[in-house]
């Protein structure tokens, strides 16, 4: 009984220690005593965090209601013009629900593990024939089980809602894609035929009445805005908008002077200046339109829903319009030193008006989006405006390559590469296809192609500028020899690491920018920022599979970063052991090497397990893989696995390295390549012997290079007993010191190794300069020593060695 009481008290102390964050008051387990029935057991304490506060019932019900509403709305019949807009809104709502359920699941998962851990601490309830446990323990277990069941039920509902939301997203996307495909390939009467204009004329009066009403509403809004005392507010808003645009126009010189003063000369200056001017243009044009529209719409009784929708659609195009104009100013600057891409003055001059053309087309596109979705005019009138837009914008694809070709012929520049010619031909081909599509009646197809190309051109230009900025900045400012790179080296970072980061970081950024390009390209021609964000979210976040694995772009990037971070962390840890810890111990070199090897293997295993955990791969899901490998190894893969493991050991411990002269199984050669299965050894007759890695681990290997320092070579000469050994050693040392490509920082040494067979063996050592071939330097030094011995009449004998290959 005393032993049981002791175990109960020990268990209570352990629960209190591990669960201080879970229980609000001291646990009643301290008062548990199976023999004391007179002491009243206090009620179980209330847990601090209530899962209903994280995911309340009202939240779950609202999610279910939202999913039901989206589903009901998606089943309703709509016209083709309304379906595209409403489906986009429904898709945004479904994506928001899916994101919400995923976030709530991530918040609840830790609590599942916490409650399970506490239940494991309390243990299973006693069996039928076992002694009864304390009542407080039973009550705590019941409380924990209730909380766990509540969490499990909420998690189950969230998973169900997530599956339903994701199915709705997929169905809406498929439905939207089907509508887009049907709309794209919908053929209307050709504008060149009589049928088109006869139908257009029949609806002309109704359409003009609708547009006239819209124009009358706009005039009414302007009349209210410029009447009475409001005229001063309206004029002030217009003046403020104009002031913003004027400030943007005159800011180019200030930005360029500031960039020239701060940054070093080179390509980084125009890139930074273009990006700063681009951001400023987005802000200036966006705020200018918002100020102008807000002043007109403020407390304006004549403003209705149609004009509000039109204003929002036009407002989304004005920042892009400013960006296009700014990119035209910067990329086609009058000053060649501020152009990012090198081009002649004639090309820049001939292309200078095309950005203004594209900017005007973007403003027109905002008006057309309203006409296509909210105007209510006839379908042929919409198609006529879309066709005119295509005919006005598509010549950009034809005229710009033609201007480039004419400018090249005028400047007598060399012929363009085949890739450039292909792009020029492709642009002309797309322009011709769009014209033919308009005149043949496939106006929606031509309009979608032109809109998508316009948005992709703007997006690709901005992302290309960001990519160039990161790449040029990393190669200009952050290398170990650059100003900022030297500061990083002074802080303690190795120069090699800084240079590596200058290559790795731009690569990672370019991968992320490619993901953004994919999101923009797959979001449709509407360039909806919210749709682009959802595309990026699902691209990076992915979706967990039924077995718990999780494959997404962020998981893949993290798996790519983990080995690199693990490599440097292991290097730092091994360096600490070698430089700080081992000198304070009495361990010999072999024990130290074994400890470092075991530490390295264990660390890399942890890195591998971390990568599997990021991907959501558990030991349970890998059971079948381990079973299959066990069967395969047992039936015939022993030698392959043995060589594979031996290759890993060779790469980790490096008993032999590439370039070492080794002798194995009676054969001498130079190590040329080490792979995970075999090692290639080049023999004297230039043939290659492939040796399984297991032989390097299980057999004796002689490494003639391992004991020497990198770049150090030795020369052995046999002299008769009658020779003047002092003179010979002096001549040998002086000759080595004066040889070409011998490093002067390391003084050559000459020593007598042995005396046998009537001769003395002299060994001279020297170091070849870095960047030179050691074999070539050794051969030249041997020839010089031979000539010096002949001039000083020092005899040399040759010792014959028989090498069996």
């Amino acid at each position: 009984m005393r032993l049981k009481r002791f175990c109960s008290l020990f268990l209570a102390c352990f629960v209190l220690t591990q669960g201080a964050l879970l229980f609000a008051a001291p646990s009643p387990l301290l008062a548990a005593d199976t023999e004391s029935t007179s002491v009243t057991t206090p009620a179980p304490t209330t847990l601090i965090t209530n899962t209903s506060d994280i995911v309340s019932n009202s939240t779950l019900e609202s999610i279910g209601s939202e999913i039901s509403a989206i589903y009901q709305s998606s089943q309703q019949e709509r016209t083709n013009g309304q379906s595209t807009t409403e489906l986009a809104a429904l898709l945004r709502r479904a994506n928001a629900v899916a994101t919400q359920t995923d976030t709530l699941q991530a918040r609840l998962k830790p609590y599942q593990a916490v409650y399970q851990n506490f239940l494991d601490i309390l243990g299973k309830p006693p069996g039928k024939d076992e002694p009864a446990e304390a009542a407080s323990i039973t009550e705590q277990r019941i409380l924990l089980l209730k909380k766990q069941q509540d969490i499990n039920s909420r998690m189950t509902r969230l998973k169900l809602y997530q599956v339903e939301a994701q199915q709705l997203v997929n169905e809406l996307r498929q439905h939207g894609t089907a509508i887009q495909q049907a709309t794209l390939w919908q053929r209307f009467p050709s504008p060149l035929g009589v049928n088109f204009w006869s139908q257009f004329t029949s609806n002309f009066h109704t359409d003009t009445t609708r547009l006239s009403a819209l124009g009358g509403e706009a005039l009414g809004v302007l009349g209210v805005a410029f009447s009475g005392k409001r005229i001063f507010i309206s004029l002030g808003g217009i003046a403020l908008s104009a002031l913003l645009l004027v400030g943007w126009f005159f800011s180019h010189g200030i930005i360029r002077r500031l960039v020239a003063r701060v940054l070093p000369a080179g390509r980084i200056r125009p890139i930074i200046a273009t990006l700063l001017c681009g951001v400023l243009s987005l802000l200036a044009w966006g705020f200018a339109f918002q100020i102008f529209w807000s002043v007109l719409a403020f407390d304006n009784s004549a403003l209705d829903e149609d004009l509000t929708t039109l204003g929002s659609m036009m407002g989304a195009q004005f920042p892009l319009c400013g960006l296009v104009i700014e990119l035209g100013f910067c990329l086609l600057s009058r000053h060649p030193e501020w152009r990012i891409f090198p081009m002649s003055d004639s090309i820049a001059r001939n292309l200078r008006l095309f950005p203004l053309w594209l900017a005007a087309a973007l403003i027109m596109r905002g008006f057309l989006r309203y006409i296509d979705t909210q105007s209510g005019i006839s379908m042929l009138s919409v198609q006529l405006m879309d066709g005119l837009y295509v005919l006005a914008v598509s010549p950009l694809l034809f005229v710009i390559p033609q201007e480039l070709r004419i400018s090249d012929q005028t400047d007598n520049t060399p012929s363009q590469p085949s890739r450039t010619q292909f792009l020029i031909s492709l642009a002309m081909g797309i322009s011709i296809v769009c014209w033919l599509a308009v005149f043949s009646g496939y106006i929606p197809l031509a309009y979608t192609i032109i809109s998508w190309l316009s948005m992709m051109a703007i997006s690709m230009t901005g992302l290309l500028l960001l990519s160039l900025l990161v790449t040029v900045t990393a190669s200009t400012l952050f290398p170990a020899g650059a100003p900022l790179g030297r500061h990083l080296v002074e802080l303690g970072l190795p120069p090699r690491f800084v240079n590596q980061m200058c290559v790795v970081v731009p690569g990672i950024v370019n991968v992320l920018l490619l993901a953004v390009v994919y999101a923009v390209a797959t979001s449709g021609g509407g360039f909806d920022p919210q749709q682009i964000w959802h595309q990026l979210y699902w691209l990076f976040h992915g979706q967990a599979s039924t077995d718990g694995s999780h494959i997404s772009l962020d998981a893949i990037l993290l798996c790519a970063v983990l080995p690199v971070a693990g490599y440097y962390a292991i290097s730092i840890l091994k360096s600490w052991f070698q430089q700080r810890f081992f000198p304070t111990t009495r361990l010999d070199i072999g024990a130290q090497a074994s400890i470092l090897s075991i530490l390295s293997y264990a660390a890399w295993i942890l890195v591998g397990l971390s990568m599997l955990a990021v991907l959501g791969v558990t030991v349970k899901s890998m059971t079948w893989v381990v079973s299959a490998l066990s069967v395969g190894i047992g039936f015939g893969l022993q030698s392959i696995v043995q060589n594979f493991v031996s290759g890993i050991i060779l790469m980790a411990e490096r008993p032999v390295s590439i370039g070492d002269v080794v002798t194995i199984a009676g054969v001498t050669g130079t190590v040329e390549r080490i792979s995970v299965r075999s090692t290639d050894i080049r023999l004297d007759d230039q043939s290659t012997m492939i040796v399984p890695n297991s032989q390097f681990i299980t057999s004796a290997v002689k490494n003639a290079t391992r004991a020497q320092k990198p770049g150090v070579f030795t020369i052995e000469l046999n002299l008769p007993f009658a020779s003047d050994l002092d003179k010979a050693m002096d001549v040998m040392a002086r000759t080595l010191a004066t040889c070409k490509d011998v490093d002067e920082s390391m003084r050559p040494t000459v020593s007598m190794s042995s005396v046998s067979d009537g001769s003395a063996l002299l060994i001279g050592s020297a170091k070849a300069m870095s960047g030179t071939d050691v074999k070539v330097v050794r051969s030249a030094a041997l020839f010089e020593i031979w000539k010096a011995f002949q001039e000083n009449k020092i005899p040399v004998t040759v010792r014959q060695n028989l090498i069996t290959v």
Side-chain angles (χ1 to χ4, degrees):
M1 188 61 68
R2 291 182 179 178
L3 178 60
K4 184 177 180 181
R5 186 184 305 169
F6 174 77
C7 293
S8 177
L9 291 175
F10 176 78
L11 177 61
C13 294
F14 186 71
V15 169
L16 285 176
T17 304
Q18 299 294 326
L21 296 178
L22 184 64
F23 295 102
S27 176
L29 298 179
L30 290 174
D33 188 353
T34 55
E35 294 182 351
S36 303
T37 56
S38 59
V39 181
T40 303
T41 303
T45 56
T46 305
L47 299 177
I48 296 176
T49 303
N50 195 350
T51 54
S52 61
D53 297 334
I54 301 174
V55 182
S56 61
N57 293 327
S58 59
T59 302
L60 294 173
E61 292 174 359
S62 63
I63 293 176
S65 301
E66 179 69 7
I67 292 176
S68 178
I70 295 173
Y71 177 76
Q72 294 296 333
S73 300
S74 65
Q75 300 301 316
Q76 296 176 4
E77 294 292 335
R78 305 176 184 86
T79 62
N80 288 336
Q82 295 174 340
S83 295
T84 304
T85 305
E86 294 185 4
L87 276 178
L90 292 176
L91 184 59
R92 287 194 293 268
R93 290 168 61 186
N95 280 322
V97 172
T99 304
Q100 182 183 11
T101 55
D102 188 73
T103 304
L104 293 176
Q105 285 185 65
R107 294 178 62 184
L108 275 183
K109 281 182 180 178
Y111 290 94
Q112 278 187 314
V114 168
Y115 281 108
Q116 186 61 46
N117 290 336
F118 276 97
L119 287 173
D120 294 339
I121 292 174
L122 293 179
K124 297 181 179 180
K128 182 178 180 181
D129 298 330
E130 297 179 359
E133 64 181 2
S136 58
I137 296 180
T138 303
E139 294 181 8
Q140 292 288 1
R141 183 182 292 107
I142 294 173
L143 176 62
L144 290 173
L145 286 174
K146 289 181 179 179
K147 294 295 183 181
Q148 189 183 46
Q149 291 174 359
D150 183 60
I151 291 179
N152 292 336
S153 63
R154 295 178 191 274
M155 284 290 294
T156 303
R157 291 183 65 182
L158 285 174
K159 290 180 180 179
L160 177 62
Y161 289 152
Q162 185 184 29
V163 172
E164 291 180 348
Q166 190 59 42
Q167 289 179 351
L168 274 177
V169 169
N170 295 334
E171 291 178 1
L172 290 172
R173 285 178 178 173
Q174 293 175 1
H175 189 36
T177 302
I179 292 177
Q180 289 179 358
Q181 294 293 332
T183 305
L184 280 178
W185 298 103
Q186 185 178 5
R187 188 174 184 272
F188 292 90
S190 172
L192 301 178
V194 179
N195 189 20
F196 179 90
W197 295 104
S198 62
Q199 296 182 24
F200 174 76
T201 306
S202 62
N203 297 318
F204 181 77
H205 179 71
T206 305
D207 295 339
T208 53
T209 302
R210 178 72 182 92
L211 294 178
S212 298
L214 182 64
E217 293 174 2
L219 292 176
V221 170
L222 293 176
V224 174
F226 289 94
S227 63
K229 296 182 180 180
R230 284 182 59 94
I231 189 172
F232 299 103
I233 300 176
S234 301
L235 291 177
I238 295 175
L240 183 58
S241 300
L243 185 63
L244 279 176
L245 296 180
V246 170
W248 158 76
F249 183 79
F250 287 101
S251 64
H252 298 81
I254 300 174
I255 292 177
R256 289 175 177 175
R257 286 193 295 270
L258 180 63
V259 169
R261 180 178 300 179
V262 175
L263 298 176
R267 199 180 180 190
I268 191 172
R269 285 184 178 179
I271 294 175
I272 294 290
T274 301
L275 282 173
L276 291 177
C277 293
V279 173
L280 186 62
S281 67
L282 280 172
L283 297 176
W285 282 75
F287 279 115
F289 180 81
Q290 291 299 328
I291 291 173
F292 172 74
W293 183 254
S294 299
V295 169
L296 293 182
F298 175 71
D299 196 20
N300 197 319
S301 58
L303 184 65
D304 60 356
E305 185 178 355
D306 289 340
L307 283 180
T308 302
T309 304
L310 177 60
S312 63
M313 292 183 177
M314 295 289 292
Q317 302 299 316
F318 264 85
L320 296 178
C321 173
L323 178 62
V324 169
I325 296 175
E326 182 60 51
L327 292 177
F329 285 163
C330 295
L331 300 180
L332 308 173
S333 175
R334 300 180 185 273
H335 306 284
E337 65 273 10
W338 292 104
R339 298 173 191 158
I340 296 178
F341 305 104
M343 64 180 68
S344 62
D345 293 337
S346 60
I347 294 179
R349 183 173 56 255
N350 293 337
L351 298 179
R352 204 160 284 152
L353 293 178
F354 291 105
L356 299 177
W357 188 350
L358 180 58
L362 288 175
I363 295 178
M364 185 62 187
R365 182 176 177 274
F367 179 74
L368 287 180
R369 289 187 64 188
Y370 172 79
I371 293 295
D372 294 343
T373 58
Q374 302 291 334
S375 62
I377 63 176
S378 64
M379 188 62 65
L380 283 183
S381 298
V382 172
Q383 298 306 315
L384 177 62
M385 293 185 181
D386 291 347
L388 293 175
Y389 176 81
V390 173
L391 296 178
V393 178
S394 59
L396 287 172
L397 298 174
F398 184 86
V399 177
I400 292 178
Q402 189 67 20
E403 288 291 340
L404 291 174
R405 184 173 299 172
I406 295 173
S407 300
D408 289 341
Q409 294 175 357
T410 304
D411 296 339
N412 296 322
T413 56
S415 60
Q416 297 175 338
S418 58
R419 185 181 302 174
T420 305
Q421 289 290 348
F422 171 75
L423 293 177
I424 291 176
S425 302
L426 180 62
M428 291 182 176
I430 293 175
S431 176
I432 295 173
V433 168
C434 290
W435 278 61
L436 293 177
V438 170
F439 291 132
S440 60
Y442 292 99
I443 299 176
L445 176 63
Y447 178 75
T448 303
I449 292 175
I450 290 299
S451 298
W452 187 83
L453 288 177
S454 301
M455 293 299 100
M456 284 301 298
I458 299 172
S459 304
M460 289 291 292
T461 304
L463 296 176
L464 178 61
L465 288 176
L466 290 176
S467 176
L468 290 175
L469 171 65
V470 175
T471 304
V472 175
T473 303
S475 61
T476 304
L477 300 180
F478 287 96
L484 295 178
R486 285 197 296 267
H487 289 294
L488 295 177
V489 173
E490 292 175 357
L491 293 175
L493 294 178
R496 184 169 59 89
F497 176 77
V498 174
N499 293 330
Q500 288 175 350
M501 288 299 102
C502 292
V503 178
V504 173
V505 172
I508 296 176
V509 173
N510 289 332
V511 171
L512 298 177
L513 292 179
L514 287 177
V516 177
V517 171
Y518 171 79
V520 173
T522 56
S523 62
F527 199 74
D528 187 357
Q530 192 171 4
Q531 183 66 21
I532 295 173
W533 167 251
H534 283 300
Q535 289 290 108
L536 280 175
Y537 176 82
W538 290 111
L539 178 63
F540 276 89
H541 189 270
Q543 186 178 5
S545 61
T546 56
D547 60 352
S549 59
H550 184 76
I551 305 296
S552 60
L553 185 57
D554 58 346
I556 295 174
L557 291 176
L558 187 57
C559 288
V561 171
L562 277 176
V564 178
Y567 170 78
Y568 287 103
I570 293 171
S571 300
I572 294 173
L573 186 61
K574 291 172 67 176
S575 177
W576 180 83
F577 271 93
Q578 291 174 340
Q579 299 178 7
R580 301 291 299 274
F581 179 71
F582 285 152
T584 62
T585 64
R586 297 181 180 181
L587 298 174
D588 56 7
I589 297 177
Q592 295 178 9
S594 300
I595 292 175
L596 290 178
S597 299
I598 295 173
L599 179 65
S600 178
Y601 296 151
W604 281 115
I605 290 174
L606 289 177
V607 171
L609 293 177
S610 301
M611 295 171 62
L612 293 177
V614 170
L615 297 175
V617 179
T618 60
V619 177
K620 181 180 179 181
S621 60
M622 291 292 293
T623 304
W624 65 274
V625 178
V626 176
S627 302
L629 288 177
S630 301
V631 174
I633 292 173
F635 276 99
L637 297 178
Q638 298 98 328
S639 59
I640 297 177
V641 174
Q642 184 181 11
N643 290 324
F644 179 79
V645 175
S646 300
I648 295 176
I649 295 174
L650 286 179
M651 292 179 180
E653 295 184 353
R654 296 182 181 272
V656 293
S657 302
I658 296 177
D660 289 356
V661 178
V662 298
T663 301
I664 181 172
V667 178
T668 302
T670 304
V671 177
E672 242 185 5
R673 186 178 71 92
I674 301 176
S675 65
V676 295
R677 190 191 67 83
S678 61
T679 299
D680 297 348
I681 299 178
R682 181 166 48 83
L683 306 181
D684 293 337
D685 59 355
Q686 302 304 316
S687 62
T688 301
M689 184 175 70
I690 302 175
V691 181
N693 289 330
S694 59
Q695 293 193 17
F696 284 91
I697 304 300
T698 59
S699 61
V701 180
K702 178 182 178 182
N703 192 337
T705 311
R706 187 169 178 81
Q708 298 180 359
K709 297 180 180 179
V712 176
F713 62 91
T714 58
I715 296 176
E716 299 180 358
L717 295 175
N718 287 281
L719 276 66
F721 285 152
S723 302
D724 188 350
L725 297 180
D726 293 333
K727 181 180 179 181
M729 295 173 67
D730 182 63
V731 171
M732 193 173 182
R734 284 189 287 105
T735 306
L736 284 173
T738 57
C739 284
K740 183 182 178 181
D741 293 333
V742 172
D743 194 351
E744 298 179 355
S745 62
M746 179 178 176
R747 184 178 178 182
T749 60
V750 179
S751 61
M752 186 170 63
S753 176
S754 63
V755 178
S756 62
D757 298 333
S759 63
L761 179 62
L762 296 184
I763 299 178
S765 299
K767 182 179 181 182
M769 296 181 63
S770 59
T772 59
D773 191 349
V774 179
K775 294 182 179 180
V776 176
V777 178
R778 183 182 182 280
S779 177
L782 183 59
F783 182 70
E784 294 295 332
I785 292 174
W786 183 267
K787 290 196 302 182
F789 277 25
Q790 293 294 325
E791 292 174 358
N792 290 276
K793 298 180 180 181
I794 301 175
V796 177
T797 62
V798 180
R799 183 170 58 184
Q800 300 292 333
N801 290 330
L802 180 60
I803 300 177
T804 302
V805 180

